[in-house]
Amino acid sequence: MPTWTLHTEFKFDAAHFIDGYDGKCGRMHGHSYKVKMTAKSHKLNPSKYLKSDDMVCDFKELKWAAKDSKKGGFDHGVLNELMPDNTTAERIAEYIHKETKNRIPEGIDLTVTVWETDNSWVEYTDQDV
């Protein structure tokens, strides 16, 4: 079966605090987050910008979180104001995953990796691995 796996990475800067955390992460602070998106599909699809079935999904849709927070993304925003859940790295990855799945065609296996620092990251997928 043919398989295409799309990869893209982007960064955004944002502030947050972890509500209820007993330590310095409970206070407002910021990170330069790095995100890797991996989208795997057994078929090609159209997109909002290309009507023919020639892509797994559009890179623009995968990179929505890199947009300015005033334009629907996370960049230079306060994550506690932009997300319904607590802003741990795990919840950020889960939220980006869920929001991205709403923007891309059905049937794509999506994996989201979020680096909070150079040596601390989390990977999220809704598939059994």
Side-chain angles (χ1 to χ4, degrees):
M1 173 177 298
T3 303
W4 292 267
T5 305
L6 214 62
H7 301 273
T8 191
E9 294 180 358
F10 58 88
K11 293 182 178 181
F12 65 88
D13 296 310
H16 81 126
F17 61 90
I18 299 175
D19 191 35
Y21 188 84
D22 184 16
K24 63 183 182 178
C25 292
R27 297 190 305 266
M28 182 73 74
H29 62 285
H31 295 283
S32 292
Y33 291 92
K34 177 181 167 185
V35 178
K36 178 181 179 183
M37 307 286 269
T38 303
K40 180 178 170 183
S41 180
H42 297 297
K43 69 182 195 83
L44 296 179
N45 302 288
S47 81
K48 186 161 67 171
Y49 307 98
L50 179 67
K51 301 303 176 202
S52 59
D53 296 342
D54 290 316
M55 55 177 56
V56 170
C57 59
D58 202 302
F59 284 118
K60 286 182 184 183
E61 300 298 349
L62 294 177
K63 294 181 177 185
W64 68 269
K67 290 183 189 173
D68 186 282
S69 63
K70 302 280 188 203
K71 296 179 179 177
F74 282 168
D75 193 45
H76 285 78
V78 177
L79 297 180
N80 302 76
E81 297 171 0
L82 301 172
M83 292 176 43
D85 298 312
N86 213 346
T87 58
T88 61
E90 294 87 346
R91 292 295 189 183
I92 295 166
E94 179 184 29
Y95 184 80
I96 290 172
H97 184 279
K98 287 180 181 178
E99 286 295 310
T100 304
K101 287 286 268 196
N102 291 333
R103 299 164 186 260
I104 62 176
E106 288 186 29
I108 295 174
D109 294 338
L110 184 67
T111 302
V112 175
T113 307
V114 175
W115 282 264
E116 194 170 79
T117 67
D118 288 340
N119 51 11
S120 298
W121 67 91
V122 63
E123 183 176 279
Y124 179 87
T125 185
D126 58 0
Q127 304 294 311
D128 272 338
V129 214

